[in-house]
Amino acid sequence: MIKAAIRTIMAMMLVAASVGSSFAGAWTRPAHGLYDKLAYNFYYSHKNFDSEGGWTEMSDNGTFRDYNLSNYLEYGLTDNLTLINSLVFKLINKSDTNGSTTTGGVGDIEVAARYKLVEGKFGILSTQGLIKIPSGYSDTRSLPLGNGQVDLEGKLLYGRSLWPLFPGYYNVELGYRYRFGDPSDEFRYLVEVGFDFTKRIYGRVKLDGIMSVDNGEKYGSDGNPTTTNNFDIGKIELTAGYKITPKLGLELSYTPAVYGQNTAAGSTYALGLFYQTP
């Protein structure tokens, strides 16, 4: 009985560690708990999704690159309320047979709050509100860093441990993003599964999608192919992580776009270092 209880407690601790290493999903941080991840991300594309969802090469042998350094922060204000902030510094480049254009600076800033509604044997249910604010970059450049407008988003999140089947969890998110100005509003969805291979090594898989409401002005982008309007996109994130200590860890991610319409069809490669407190 004692050995069984110890094994159960250890497995539950592994599950909790997996959740903490994966941006928590529906879970909130404990009061005064901290999670901070600094990541270097590289995005590359030489193709677009057309209006029918097919793959097409960018015109004039074009390529698009986004080199960025991002910081994602979660802080538990109370056991039920977590504050979230995301910042990114970008250097983007578009090249084709006509030349090359590069733009750099701070991208959009996101501020959010996640609130735990209820938790029990069935899992955990939370809600999250987010505001995206442009940092002051010019959206009239030939290669803008973003759309340059404010977004508001509401989201419902559900998560559940997969123990005793195995040490892991799953998470599902559904949301709606209202976008001021011309860009179309968006439905947002995410399905995520995370698991531990060992006490230190873990992994997760995410399907992260955006579906346009198609209520914005119809236009493309002569510059940044990722800031088009009325677009759909679905990405698969594959992540492997290593916990150096209970508080410090590394993550390596590969995130290709697998389907979409009216936007760039590229992939992101990321290396992140995170720090977390209990």
Side-chain angles (χ1 to χ4, degrees), residues 2-3 35 44 68-69 71-72 85 87 95 108 112 135 137-138 144 148 158 208 226 232 236 249 273 278:
I2 294 176
K3 290 183 178 180
Y35 177 92
Y44 172 80
N68 70 75
L69 189 66
N71 190 78
Y72 177 89
N85 175 251
L87 295 171
S95 300
D108 294 322
S135 63
Y137 57 82
S138 172
Y158 170 73
D208 190 357
T226 64
D232 302 337
I236 295 289
L273 175 68

Side-chain angles (χ1 to χ4, degrees), residues 176 178 182-186 212-218 229-230:
Y176 186 88
Y178 176 80
D182 290 330
S184 168
D185 294 351
E186 300 166 346
S212 173
V213 180
D214 291 334
N215 63 348
E217 180 182 343
K218 303 285 184 180
N229 194 17
N230 296 338

Side-chain angles (χ1 to χ4, degrees), residues 10-23 29 35 167-169 194-204 239-252 272-276:
M10 290 180 64
M12 291 176 68
M13 289 174 66
L14 284 174
V15 172
S18 291
V19 170
S21 301
S22 61
F23 293 176
R29 296 278 156 192
Y35 177 92
Y169 69 97
F195 39 85
D196 280 317
F197 298 111
T198 70
K199 186 177 180 180
R200 291 183 180 270
I201 300 173
Y202 63 92
R204 66 172 178 268
T239 295
Y242 179 74
K243 302 165 190 171
I244 302 169
T245 71
K247 292 184 177 182
L248 192 67
L250 290 170
E251 289 189 346
L252 184 65
L273 175 68
F274 70 83
Y275 173 82
Q276 62 183 355

Side-chain angles (χ1 to χ4, degrees), residues 25-44:
W27 285 264
T28 53
R29 296 278 156 192
H32 309 301
L34 176 71
Y35 177 92
D36 189 35
K37 180 180 177 181
L38 182 67
Y40 172 74
N41 310 277
F42 170 63
Y43 174 87
Y44 172 80

Side-chain angles (χ1 to χ4, degrees), residues 18-273:
S18 291
V19 170
S21 301
S22 61
F23 293 176
W27 285 264
T28 53
R29 296 278 156 192
H32 309 301
L34 176 71
Y35 177 92
D36 189 35
K37 180 180 177 181
L38 182 67
Y40 172 74
N41 310 277
F42 170 63
Y43 174 87
Y44 172 80
S45 180
H46 63 92
K47 293 183 177 181
N48 291 320
F49 290 115
D50 61 26
S51 60
E52 301 299 323
W55 302 76
T56 62
E57 295 287 337
M58 290 186 179
S59 60
D60 300 318
N61 296 317
T63 61
F64 178 78
R65 293 174 173 84
D66 182 340
Y67 309 85
N68 70 75
L69 189 66
S70 64
N71 190 78
Y72 177 89
L73 176 70
E74 290 189 354
Y75 176 75
L77 192 63
T78 70
D79 287 343
N80 294 331
L81 180 62
T82 295
L83 304 181
I84 302 166
N85 175 251
S86 178
L87 295 171
V88 59
F89 181 86
K90 289 175 170 283
L91 183 68
I92 59 177
N93 171 268
K94 186 177 181 183
S95 300
D96 56 31
T97 54
N98 299 311
S100 178
T101 303
T102 300
T103 302
V106 178
D108 294 322
I109 300 168
E110 293 187 347
V111 179
R114 182 184 304 130
Y115 183 76
K116 179 169 62 177
L117 297 173
V118 62
E119 184 175 13
K121 293 182 179 180
F122 68 92
I124 183 169
L125 185 66
S126 301
T127 186
Q128 180 173 299
L130 176 147
I131 179 170
K132 188 205 78 177
I133 307 166
S135 63
Y137 57 82
S138 172
D139 60 349
T140 60
R141 290 181 178 179
S142 58
L143 187 60
L145 292 173
N147 289 108
Q149 92 294 317
V150 175
D151 294 352
L152 297 177
E153 179 182 287
K155 184 183 291 186
L156 193 65
L157 308 89
Y158 170 73
R160 187 172 184 179
S161 166
L162 291 172
W163 176 258
L165 184 61
F166 63 86
Y169 69 97
Y170 67 87
N171 181 66
V172 179
E173 303 177 11
L174 295 173
Y176 186 88
R177 179 168 289 204
Y178 176 80
R179 311 185 75 198
F180 291 87
D182 290 330
S184 168
D185 294 351
E186 300 166 346
F187 288 111
R188 297 200 163 210
Y189 56 93
L190 182 145
V191 180
E192 172 184 357
V193 179
F195 39 85
D196 280 317
F197 298 111
T198 70
K199 186 177 180 180
R200 291 183 180 270
I201 300 173
Y202 63 92
R204 66 172 178 268
V205 180
K206 289 183 183 181
L207 169 64
D208 190 357
I210 297 174
M211 183 172 66
S212 173
V213 180
D214 291 334
N215 63 348
E217 180 182 343
K218 303 285 184 180
Y219 68 89
S221 174
D222 294 329
N224 190 333
T226 64
T227 60
T228 56
N229 194 17
N230 296 338
F231 72 90
D232 302 337
I233 194 166
K235 302 177 182 179
I236 295 289
E237 179 194 300
L238 305 173
T239 295
Y242 179 74
K243 302 165 190 171
I244 302 169
T245 71
K247 292 184 177 182
L248 192 67
L250 290 170
E251 289 189 346
L252 184 65
S253 298
Y254 169 59
T255 310
V258 292
Y259 59 85
Q261 290 181 312
N262 304 321
T263 190
S267 298
T268 300
Y269 307 83
L271 176 63
L273 175 68

